[in-house]
Amino acid sequence: MAGPQVLKHRRTTLERAEKFLSGPGFPDCSLRGRLFGGTCPLVSLSCFQTPQRIPYDEAVRQEFRPAKVGDSFGPTWWTCWFKVELSIPREWVGKEVHLLWESDGEGMVWRDAQPVQGLTKEGEKTSYILTDNLKEAEPHSLTVYVEVACNGLFGAGKGSLIAPPDPDKKFTLHKAELVVFNRDVHELLVDFEILVDMAKFLGEENQRSFQMLYVANQMVNLLDVTDSSTFPAVRHRASSIFRQKNGESQHTIHAMGHCHIDSAWLWPYEESIRKCARSWVTVVRLMEKNPEFTFVCSQAQQFEWVRNWYPGLYAQIQDYAKEGRFIPVGGTWVEMDGNLPSGESMVRQFLQGQRFFQQQFGKLCLEFWLPDTFGYSAQLPQLMRGCGIRWFLTQKLSWSLVNTFPHSTFFWEGIDGSQVLTHFPPGNSYDLKGRVEEMLKTMNNNKDKGRVNHSAALFGFGDGGGGPTQKMLDRLKRMSDTDGLPRVQMSTPDHFFSMLEKEKTQLFTWTGELFLELHNGTYTTQAQIKKGNRECERILHDAEVLSSFALTQKNTFQYPSIKLQHLWRLLLLNQFHDVLPGSCIQLVVEDAMKYYAEIRSMGGLLIKDAVRSLFGELLLTGPETEESLLVLNTLPWERTEVISRTGAKTLGAIVLESVQDGHCANQFVIFDDVPLYWDAWDVMDYHLETRKPVTTLLKPLAIVLTGSLRGSVKFSLQISERSVITQEVILDAMCPYLRFLTQVDWNEAHRFLKVEFPLRVRSMNATYEIQFGHLQRPTHWNTSWDWARFEVWTHKWMDLSEHGFGVALLNDCKYGASVHKNVMSLSLLRAPKSPDATADIGPHEFTYAMMPHKGSFHEAGVIHYAYNLNFPLHTVPAVSAQCPAWSAFSVHSPAVVLETVKQARTVLSRQLDGLVVRLYESHGSTVVTWLQTSLPVKEAINCDLLERPDPSSHLPLEEHGLKLSFTPFQVRSVLLILRQ
């Protein structure tokens, strides 16, 4: 007989249900305490440790020693392999049996020589299902192995998440036993959780909240945790609520499993390979049991890792990909930084990624997937469209510290006018857990209510991997169409964006960059990585240009396509969004520098091979006494210098005239640099209040050179007792800029070094180079959107001009910059201590240049001169005979830059030699120009950035070459088919 009705107090009723659910203080009365039934110890447990990451076949041949629960292993970055021998009791027939495994570190279960399950406490995966329903006939005794990496999902930071790793950390095995898993208890727990969370998060103003509260209370009354016969009635009461459907107008959430894995961050590259395997094999297990489950996965590099190291797992992934459930997304080699890679590097990210997905999965990605990168270049929309991408997804702008971005779904327009349909998941996360609170936030935080009724929700543990869990899927199933909640359905990117396209007429357009108002320090941190990136981009450019020329001139020359692809992939890997920005641990920095060294070495050899093939008869090979220099220019314009003392004097006068009265140009300044938390990532606006000029002279100005070709002076400044700047200021004949060759011995902590140029120039905007173009940013701080850009990024140059005059700052490896009012500032070095305590400590060498100019920066040739600074001429000893002048390409318009010359991968499915040339309009103008070439070209065809030719778009070869038209900042690729 039912008890009397009791007037309910909301707080006590809610807390009663929560305590029944979780059981703190009352474990004997809670439901959670009944999740596991019987237990059984293991037959045997043994282990061995190794500092190496070794394959399974090698591991199982090692000598294992006895181990037990409570044992510790390590240290950090080691691996402990456990041999687990078990025997399931006969009386457990008909039961679901798990291996319960709780240990520090990240584990992976191996069974029958294949990975079968990831195990991590942090990722809520602490058991492996041995059998769903134990049969009498199936084996009850078996042996499995558990490979445990001595690091957590987020590395091994000493004391905090982003602290440098603790090298001596130990890891402990806390539980290892067989258990009976009570699936009906698990289902009840999820029922209770959804109802309680609806009661909590729908709010007291919502009558549905009280319905959920009262139903949860009734379920507590009905349930006897010691009597499983009471369970069905309780579940029926819950399901009656979940069967109450939404109205047709309810917001629809498209849920997609997700597992963001940083290719390196607080752990090295090699550990990411195992993170992929641990995470993805768990996804495969979930797909076996949940036919509606879909999972999206980016980064071709990670697929390649798994293909090489775990071929059995990779074959299963390919099978599920064919079913449209394990879905490759993104179209890039890695989730790269969105600011610092060059335009050509970004093209190669798509080229390598899309080709991999086409070859391995039979389709190109239609969406660009970059959820965790620190800002997005305004040239990306054009690059996406040129690589077959129509849609874009990220959530990182939700991290902006100052302004809230006004849209969730919109069209993003680049500097050339290209547009992509863009979505920011309103849940502001790529690693949701499938909770009621998250789904409500996804609906309520939609910035485009009334225009868009669809949102994406990405669920699964991320950053360090882990991915979705069964509990997440069970939560979402209950929210599929429950009155009071948004409608939640498993979905795919194709289906989701197709639904958004139906509402596209309602959408707004955002033009220009997507600037993250946080993590501005990543433009400068780890200067050696930035320098390696810029230098290796140049090396690969030159290697491709010279190899392409050799291919056209010598029938015997073999274009080094395999070697170049290998080097490009190393460079692209290092452009991952925690490596190139410098927000990684020391081990990752060491890996990155090793890869740069390989590119420098092998790339240099490729350049030498191409030069030898092109000019072998002219090269100096013996002990000849007379020699000359063969000069090679890999840029498409002349770089002739004429000796002129008058020109040098004129430049010196202009430099002096361009500096603001009473101020010093080339003024080094130092700032305190203590961010709120994200040490390597952030520089805060308040650092500007701590400005201190560096004025202590260590060595006075001294003349180094006084020749007619070059003059230079040198001096040294004391930054502190530990750090010194030595600089040579160089003036070259007929060179329009003054070079500053700078060496810094840097041994600071939380300090920021910049160089300033206060100018006699007034302008509301400054111009900064970006990929394949440039954009303007305000020099004032009128609005919060303006002052949030107190530290920005640029590439090879930036310029401050008024009508008729201006000054450009060029650089060979720096990215951080700012222009406030009339002061141009180039960021040089930082000194964060987390996650790498040694970041930037040591010697540095870099060059920047000051280029005052008449007229606009376009008219003055700033863009070409910035290229010249970054692409030095190649000089090769040659015999003294007259070396012939030879030019492969020239472009008539100074507005158009020939950026890339490389071998084409495919030529209309014919076995023909071909080159791809990539050009872009750099001034922001509409222009028609001629591309002239001396190469044996017989056909020219337009192609996209994936080098797919358009057979209907042949370009006529005329006397002056190819006639090409460009709109502002347009990037064009042309396939040149060579005569045999």
Side-chain angles (χ1 to χ4, degrees):
M1 187 175 77
Q5 293 296 315
V6 178
L7 186 64
K8 305 303 296 178
H9 183 268
R10 179 177 172 86
R11 174 185 166 187
T12 57
T13 307
L14 187 59
E15 288 193 15
R16 180 197 188 200
E18 289 178 321
K19 288 185 181 296
F20 186 78
L21 185 63
S22 60
F26 302 94
D28 56 322
C29 303
S30 75
L31 184 59
R32 194 171 301 279
R34 299 300 192 276
L35 189 58
F36 299 115
T39 65
C40 176
L42 305 176
V43 173
S44 173
L45 182 66
S46 55
C47 72
F48 94 93
Q49 296 189 74
T50 171
Q52 308 299 322
R53 298 174 179 89
I54 61 175
Y56 171 87
D57 291 343
E58 182 180 344
V60 297
R61 296 196 303 267
Q62 305 303 310
E63 182 177 347
F64 286 72
R65 58 171 178 80
K68 64 182 185 303
V69 171
D71 284 354
S72 293
F73 46 94
T76 304
W77 310 128
W78 281 48
T79 300
C80 189
W81 284 82
F82 289 90
K83 183 178 182 180
V84 182
E85 298 177 77
L86 54 89
S87 180
I88 306 172
R90 293 288 173 184
E91 57 269 27
W92 287 4
V93 169
K95 306 288 187 182
E96 181 175 336
V97 182
H98 291 200
L99 168 63
L100 184 62
W101 184 278
E102 292 185 13
S103 72
D104 303 326
E106 293 188 83
M108 182 155 67
V109 181
W110 291 79
R111 184 173 181 177
D112 299 328
Q114 291 296 321
V116 291
Q117 174 71 52
L119 296 170
T120 55
K121 284 196 303 180
E122 298 157 292
E124 297 182 3
K125 300 177 183 69
T126 57
S127 69
Y128 164 57
I129 302 174
L130 293 164
T131 174
D132 291 321
N133 185 359
L134 183 65
K135 303 293 192 302
E136 184 69 45
E138 68 180 295
H140 286 222
S141 297
L142 66 152
T143 298
V144 299
Y145 290 84
V146 181
E147 175 191 12
V148 180
C150 295
N151 54 264
L153 275 182
F154 294 92
K158 189 173 185 177
S160 74
L161 171 71
I162 63 170
D166 180 354
D168 302 315
K169 188 173 182 178
K170 292 293 184 178
F171 299 76
T172 302
L173 177 61
H174 302 284
K175 282 186 182 179
E177 60 187 2
L178 301 184
V179 296
V180 171
F181 185 80
N182 292 324
R183 181 64 60 179
D184 52 355
V185 173
H186 167 83
E187 298 291 349
L188 273 171
L189 284 168
V190 179
D191 288 343
F192 266 106
E193 180 192 294
I194 298 297
L195 294 171
V196 168
D197 281 355
M198 288 180 69
K200 286 171 61 177
F201 297 114
L202 286 176
E204 294 188 40
E205 300 80 12
N206 191 314
Q207 63 88 24
R208 188 71 168 154
S209 167
F210 284 90
Q211 290 179 351
M212 299 304 101
L213 182 61
Y214 286 5
V215 169
N217 189 69
Q218 292 169 8
M219 290 168 60
V220 176
N221 292 336
L222 288 171
L223 186 64
D224 181 351
V225 297
T226 66
D227 182 2
S228 61
S229 67
T230 65
F231 292 4
V234 178
R235 289 224 63 205
H236 178 75
R237 185 71 186 94
S239 64
S240 68
I241 293 296
F242 299 135
R243 287 196 299 269
Q244 295 173 356
K245 304 300 184 184
N246 271 303
E248 291 185 8
S249 65
Q250 184 58 279
H251 190 82
T252 299
I253 293 176
H254 295 250
M256 293 170 253
H258 191 245
C259 180
H260 181 63
I261 301 177
D262 288 323
S263 292
W265 179 29
L266 303 176
W267 52 88
Y269 284 124
E270 281 192 356
E271 193 56 45
S272 295
I273 299 173
R274 299 199 295 187
K275 283 178 176 286
C276 293
R278 289 188 289 260
S279 303
W280 296 357
V281 74
T282 303
V283 168
V284 168
R285 295 288 84 77
L286 291 173
M287 286 186 169
E288 292 171 349
K289 299 179 182 301
N290 301 271
E292 78 290 347
F293 173 41
T294 57
F295 178 77
V296 293
C297 191
S298 65
Q299 305 193 74
Q301 171 70 86
Q302 295 185 0
F303 282 92
E304 177 74 352
W305 280 337
V306 172
R307 186 171 79 96
N308 291 332
W309 288 88
Y310 303 93
L313 170 59
Y314 190 74
Q316 296 176 70
I317 289 171
Q318 285 186 307
D319 289 341
Y320 281 111
K322 291 175 184 175
E323 296 179 14
R325 297 176 58 199
F326 199 113
I327 305 167
V329 296
T332 51
W333 190 246
V334 297
E335 289 186 10
M336 73 283 195
D337 179 77
N339 300 320
L340 309 187
S342 69
E344 188 60 30
S345 288
M346 285 188 167
V347 170
R348 301 306 176 94
Q349 288 283 355
F350 287 109
L351 185 62
Q352 291 294 329
Q354 290 284 55
R355 280 184 173 157
F356 180 90
F357 291 132
Q358 179 72 60
Q359 292 164 0
Q360 295 295 314
F361 298 97
K363 60 182 294 187
L364 298 175
C365 299
L366 298 178
E367 68 294 302
F368 185 30
W369 204 268
L370 204 59
D372 192 32
T373 289
F374 314 145
Y376 305 88
S377 166
Q379 189 58 278
L380 274 168
Q382 179 178 193
L383 303 187
M384 288 186 234
R385 295 309 297 257
C387 294
I389 303 286
R390 292 159 44 193
W391 309 316
F392 176 47
L393 182 143
T394 186
Q395 62 82 47
K396 197 64 178 184
L397 259 67
S398 66
W399 283 50
S400 282
L401 198 61
V402 181
N403 297 285
T404 299
F405 194 79
H407 305 297
S408 298
T409 304
F410 59 100
F411 282 103
W412 180 22
E413 183 175 277
I415 57 173
D416 75 309
S418 296
Q419 293 187 345
V420 287
L421 178 58
T422 300
H423 182 70
F424 294 176
N428 293 345
S429 176
Y430 49 73
D431 55 0
L432 301 175
K433 306 304 182 290
R435 297 184 179 277
V436 167
E437 181 182 17
E438 297 168 339
M439 299 303 111
L440 289 172
K441 179 180 179 180
T442 296
M443 175 179 67
N444 296 330
N445 197 43
N446 174 25
K447 304 291 196 309
D448 301 283
K449 297 182 182 72
R451 291 189 298 273
V452 178
N453 209 26
H454 297 264
S455 297
L458 311 180
F459 66 94
F461 287 95
D463 290 330
T469 66
Q470 184 62 54
K471 182 179 286 188
M472 295 176 194
L473 291 169
D474 292 338
R475 289 168 180 153
L476 294 173
K477 289 174 187 176
R478 286 159 174 80
M479 290 185 276
S480 62
D481 194 5
T482 297
D483 185 25
L485 295 176
R487 187 176 288 108
V488 181
Q489 61 180 227
M490 294 302 302
S491 189
T492 67
D494 283 3
H495 178 62
F496 169 63
F497 278 104
S498 296
M499 297 303 295
L500 294 184
E501 285 186 333
K502 293 179 180 179
E503 301 171 327
K504 65 183 180 181
T505 59
Q506 304 293 317
L507 300 180
F508 286 94
T509 298
W510 180 274
T511 301
E513 66 183 330
L514 295 173
F515 186 86
L516 178 65
E517 298 169 355
L518 196 69
H519 295 355
N520 317 56
T522 59
Y523 315 146
T524 305
T525 303
Q526 298 287 8
Q528 297 290 17
I529 287 182
K530 268 76 170 175
K531 183 175 183 177
N533 178 73
R534 185 81 65 84
E535 183 179 351
C536 289
E537 287 177 334
R538 188 253 311 161
I539 288 171
L540 293 182
H541 169 277
D542 288 0
E544 287 185 331
V545 167
L546 294 170
S547 295
S548 297
F549 295 166
L551 177 69
T552 66
Q553 302 300 306
K554 302 287 185 179
N555 292 332
T556 58
F557 181 79
Q558 294 294 314
Y559 190 90
S561 56
I562 295 175
K563 292 178 180 178
L564 281 168
Q565 175 172 275
H566 169 70
L567 298 181
W568 265 111
R569 287 182 171 183
L570 289 180
L571 178 62
L572 300 180
L573 176 58
N574 274 354
Q575 290 174 348
F576 179 75
H577 65 253
D578 277 310
V579 181
L580 180 53
S583 50
C584 52
I585 61 173
Q586 184 179 357
L587 281 176
V588 178
V589 177
E590 292 170 357
D591 284 344
M593 298 310 294
K594 179 180 66 178
Y595 292 157
Y596 289 138
E598 183 175 348
I599 296 169
R600 289 185 182 105
S601 175
M602 187 180 294
L605 291 175
L606 296 182
I607 290 172
K608 288 181 180 178
D609 289 345
V611 172
R612 191 178 300 114
S613 177
L614 279 166
F615 305 106
E617 68 279 3
L618 299 176
L619 301 185
L620 189 64
T621 58
E624 291 90 345
T625 55
E626 290 189 53
E627 63 178 77
S628 60
L629 285 179
L630 178 65
V631 180
L632 302 176
N633 173 21
T634 58
L635 297 176
W637 49 76
E638 293 186 9
R639 297 162 70 174
T640 304
E641 294 181 356
V642 180
I643 300 172
S644 171
R645 289 184 180 272
T646 304
K649 291 178 181 178
T650 302
L651 175 60
I654 296 174
V655 167
L656 292 175
E657 292 169 3
S658 66
V659 179
Q660 183 182 4
D661 290 343
H663 292 75
C664 296
N666 193 40
Q667 175 67 64
F668 292 100
V669 288
I670 193 99
F671 301 83
D672 295 339
D673 186 15
V674 185
L676 297 176
Y677 178 72
W678 296 101
D679 199 358
W681 293 258
D682 288 350
V683 56
M684 310 306 296
D685 56 352
Y686 53 74
H687 88 281
L688 296 169
E689 300 171 354
T690 68
R691 177 184 179 276
K692 300 178 186 67
V694 178
T695 58
T696 304
L697 195 62
L698 187 63
K699 292 183 181 180
L701 193 71
I703 296 174
V704 178
L705 292 172
T706 58
S708 58
L709 283 174
R710 172 174 295 171
S712 69
V713 295
K714 196 171 188 178
F715 63 93
S716 294
L717 295 174
Q718 188 90 43
I719 301 172
S720 69
E721 294 180 356
R722 301 173 300 277
S723 302
V724 173
I725 300 170
T726 300
Q727 189 172 75
E728 184 177 5
V729 185
I730 303 168
L731 185 60
D732 287 326
M734 286 306 294
C735 182
Y737 52 74
L738 190 64
R739 279 192 298 142
F740 301 89
L741 175 59
T742 311
Q743 296 173 324
V744 182
D745 187 8
W746 181 249
N747 295 283
E748 299 298 309
H750 291 116
R751 306 258 273 172
F752 195 174
L753 180 67
K754 304 183 186 182
V755 64
E756 293 179 347
F757 290 81
L759 304 173
R760 193 182 293 171
V761 179
R762 179 172 177 81
S763 176
M764 297 284 283
N765 295 287
T767 307
Y768 302 81
E769 187 193 33
I770 67 169
Q771 298 83 358
F772 297 134
H774 59 265
L775 52 72
Q776 292 189 328
R777 301 184 180 109
T779 60
H780 56 76
W781 293 345
N782 283 357
T783 71
S784 60
W785 294 88
D786 299 330
W787 67 256
R789 287 168 165 80
F790 61 87
E791 178 79 5
V792 298
W793 60 272
T794 190
H795 279 205
K796 299 185 291 294
W797 61 271
M798 58 179 171
D799 184 84
L800 182 65
S801 291
E802 59 189 36
H803 179 70
F805 180 75
V807 176
L809 276 186
L810 322 178
N811 75 85
D812 71 348
C813 61
K814 298 301 175 184
Y815 296 91
S818 65
V819 182
H820 184 219
K821 296 184 177 178
N822 66 321
V823 179
M824 302 183 78
S825 177
L826 188 66
S827 299
L828 303 178
L829 293 168
R830 294 187 70 224
K833 297 302 172 187
S834 292
D836 177 9
T838 69
D840 285 319
I841 299 302
H844 298 266
E845 183 171 307
F846 48 87
T847 295
Y848 55 90
M850 178 186 184
M851 181 178 166
H853 57 82
K854 295 180 180 179
S856 68
F857 71 86
H858 319 82
E859 296 164 338
V862 165
I863 297 169
H864 285 193
Y865 284 112
Y867 270 95
N868 292 353
L869 182 68
N870 280 267
F871 289 79
L873 297 167
H874 294 266
T875 57
V876 184
V879 295
S880 58
Q882 180 68 36
C883 296
W886 178 72
S887 175
F889 287 101
S890 63
V891 183
H892 284 201
S893 170
V896 175
V897 175
L898 174 58
E899 175 73 20
T900 300
V901 182
K902 66 180 291 290
Q903 185 188 46
R905 290 287 295 272
T906 57
V907 184
L908 298 176
S909 301
R910 291 178 279 170
Q911 297 300 313
L912 299 173
D913 286 330
L915 300 178
V916 168
V917 294
R918 191 155 15 258
L919 309 95
Y920 73 96
E921 197 289 316
S922 66
H923 287 180
S925 61
T926 299
V927 63
V928 177
T929 190
W930 291 93
L931 172 65
Q932 277 192 312
T933 180
S934 62
L935 303 183
V937 175
K938 71 172 184 179
E939 287 184 71
I941 309 169
N942 279 318
C943 62
D944 65 6
L945 297 179
L946 299 182
E947 301 178 13
R948 297 177 298 181
D950 179 358
S952 65
S953 183
H954 283 251
L955 299 169
L957 291 170
E958 302 183 39
E959 181 180 353
H960 295 291
L962 293 175
K963 189 177 183 180
L964 300 174
S965 61
F966 290 82
T967 55
F969 302 120
Q970 183 182 4
V971 181
R972 290 192 61 175
S973 297
V974 179
L975 172 63
L976 304 178
I977 299 175
L978 304 175
R979 291 194 295 270
Q980 298 294 300

